[in-house]
Amino acid sequence: MPSTRALIHAPWSASKVSAALRCPRLFHFRYVEKLREPDVMPEARIGKAVHAALEAALQGTATAEAAAVARAALTDEAEQRRFDALATGVDPFLARIGRFRRGRRIQRQLVEYSLAVREDLSATQFYAGDAYYRGVLDTGYLYDEDNLAIVDHKTGVRMAPAIMRDQLEGYLVLAASAFRQVRRFWLGIHWVAERAVEWAEPVDATQVTNRLIPTVLDNIEAAALAVDDGPRTNPGPWCDRCSYRTHCPASHQQRWEPVYDEYEDED
Ligand code: SF4
């Protein structure tokens, strides 16, 4: 059973857990006060536009049109150029998916697919009042009766998949609840800039039950505990990418206060 403090902040998601563990003040700004983000990072805008282009193209929109519509959301020229470079990865991804589809019996394609579970891990609607944990799959394929392949698009610099493990394993917990017939889960990361898809070892349904579900629930409890003392700040390297820097006194101190030179007066 979840603790009361975990239930108070439900519904959880992988990014919400991550925010709580990283900085309770950031969690408070985003999920308690629900403040509009004053400093959205260019990377976030570009990533959102690339995701939109991939989503539309996977659903049948011509690539050029999908890219043009997504690009229109960006107003900064430098961001548009970065988007253009990333959008060249859409067609190679479609070709890869085409090859994947030809080799399997595809039952269903999932694009930007919302999933949620209740506190007892039964499936519910994403916006339902009883949702306890939820997430959105970028792309998925139910195939060969009992397999599910999930692909998550990443538009940033390639990094070790272990860094994203909590997010990706959270998807498996959600998918296992929604698609009970699936016995084997495959997780791939689509590195858009490199036009590469990196696959992890497949995970079977028993591993999801025995290992991943307890891990996700433990992480939620740890996150709830981290924010239980209120919105304390936890400045660190992540402040450079925080959308609430201008609201945060810790960030101001860390970034802009002049450093006192203890030897200055001795000269
Ligand atoms: S700037 Fe840093 S300390 Fe302040 S809320 Fe953001 S992550 Fe937390």
Side-chain angles (χ1 to χ4, degrees):
M1 281 294 290
S3 65
T4 305
R5 62 177 162 240
L7 287 169
I8 285 170
H9 292 295
W12 290 89
S13 64
S15 52
K16 191 167 176 177
V17 168
S18 166
L21 292 174
R22 183 165 285 181
C23 175
R25 176 69 74 115
L26 163 62
F27 178 91
H28 199 82
F29 283 145
R30 181 173 291 154
Y31 297 107
V32 179
E33 291 185 54
K34 299 187 195 307
L35 282 187
R36 199 175 143 269
E37 297 187 12
D39 309 312
V40 177
M41 298 289 114
E43 291 74 19
R45 280 192 294 271
I46 295 165
K48 193 173 171 188
V50 173
H51 274 72
L54 282 161
E55 178 186 350
L58 282 166
Q59 289 175 316
T61 305
T63 307
E65 184 187 344
V69 171
R71 189 184 199 270
L74 302 171
T75 52
D76 179 272
E77 261 184 51
E79 291 179 23
Q80 288 173 346
R81 281 197 297 277
R82 288 171 62 190
F83 170 85
D84 292 341
L86 288 167
T88 60
V90 174
D91 271 335
F93 182 70
L94 292 185
R96 184 187 290 270
I97 290 296
R99 290 193 295 276
F100 173 84
R101 296 185 69 132
R102 281 194 291 281
R104 289 152 186 95
R105 293 188 311 281
I106 304 292
Q107 275 84 52
R108 193 169 165 194
Q109 173 178 261
L110 313 167
V111 177
E112 282 292 297
Y113 196 81
S114 306
L115 292 168
V117 291
R118 301 183 182 91
E119 60 191 81
D120 64 1
L121 280 306
S122 59
T124 187
Q125 297 297 310
F126 190 81
Y127 289 110
D130 61 358
Y132 180 66
Y133 185 71
R134 63 188 190 177
V136 181
L137 308 184
D138 282 343
T139 306
Y141 292 91
L142 288 160
Y143 69 95
D144 291 356
E145 314 308 332
D146 59 1
N147 280 257
L148 172 63
I150 295 170
V151 180
D152 197 56
H153 308 304
K154 296 292 181 200
T155 53
V157 176
R158 190 166 180 165
M159 57 182 82
I163 295 171
M164 290 154 285
R165 194 182 59 203
D166 290 346
Q167 176 199 7
L168 300 176
E169 292 185 346
Y171 291 153
L172 294 191
V173 169
L174 292 165
S177 169
F179 306 110
R180 298 277 182 185
Q181 78 279 19
V182 173
R183 307 313 308 159
R184 181 166 283 203
F185 299 87
W186 302 79
L187 266 177
I189 302 176
H190 173 206
W191 298 104
V192 181
E194 296 190 21
R195 304 178 179 191
V197 176
E198 183 175 5
W199 291 99
E201 286 293 312
V203 175
D204 65 37
T206 310
Q207 289 173 287
V208 175
T209 304
N210 293 344
R211 183 170 61 84
L212 302 191
I213 288 176
T215 301
V216 167
L217 295 179
D218 284 352
N219 285 347
I220 293 173
E221 289 296 337
L225 182 61
V227 297
D228 201 36
D229 289 341
R232 68 185 161 79
T233 53
N234 184 31
W238 43 85
C239 294
D240 285 340
R241 295 173 62 86
C242 176
S243 310
Y244 297 98
R245 284 179 304 178
T246 50
H247 283 349
C248 177
S251 171
H252 280 272
Q253 282 164 17
Q254 191 186 48
R255 293 163 56 84
W256 296 306
E257 266 199 2
V259 176
Y260 175 69
D261 182 344
E262 61 181 318
Y263 301 112
E264 200 173 53
D265 296 336
E266 296 176 11
D267 289 340

